[in-house]
Amino acid sequence: MKTGRIYIIIASLAILTACGGGSDSVPSEYVQFDTMVQIMADMHVIEAKGNLARSGSMVEDNKVAIKTDYEQVFFNYNTTQARFDSSYNYYARN
């Protein structure tokens, strides 16, 4: 299941990069393109770290750690999960 999530993140990152949408054309309510790419790259690293640490009874601990790391990424980029999600949907549509 986690492997599938990583593939989705990698594919999404590749699509975002290939689209090359300039930040000029992105409405201000969405995370700007360059920042979105950086956030998704950070998320990919978090997922990879979680997969490496995964073992037996630590699965639940990894889920908590991944969630905490995601929250830190959103904080670092001055955004929220909701804004990221709406931005992700915007880029998926455009």
Side-chain angles (χ1 to χ4, degrees):
M1 183 161 128
K2 294 249 184 209
T3 305
R5 227 161 138 197
I6 287 178
Y7 290 131
I8 290 171
I9 291 173
I10 291 171
S12 299
L13 185 59
I15 290 169
L16 283 175
T17 304
C19 293
S23 59
D24 304 358
S25 62
V26 178
S28 62
E29 68 263 22
Y30 300 114
V31 175
Q32 295 303 297
F33 179 78
D34 293 340
T35 304
M36 191 71 173
V37 170
Q38 292 172 345
I39 290 171
M40 292 188 73
D42 288 353
M43 290 177 146
H44 174 66
V45 171
I46 291 167
E47 288 288 332
K49 183 177 79 172
N51 282 335
L52 288 174
R54 185 172 48 176
S55 70
S57 64
M58 294 179 56
V59 171
E60 286 303 315
D61 292 339
N62 286 338
K63 288 180 184 177
V64 171
I66 287 171
K67 183 176 189 238
T68 302
D69 289 346
Y70 274 7
E71 290 169 357
Q72 184 63 48
V73 168
F74 296 138
F75 177 80
N76 291 346
Y77 290 99
N78 194 31
T79 194
T80 63
Q81 175 79 50
R83 185 167 181 235
F84 170 82
D85 290 343
S86 68
S87 299
Y88 183 88
N89 291 331
Y90 169 81
Y91 287 110
R93 286 188 314 267
N94 297 295

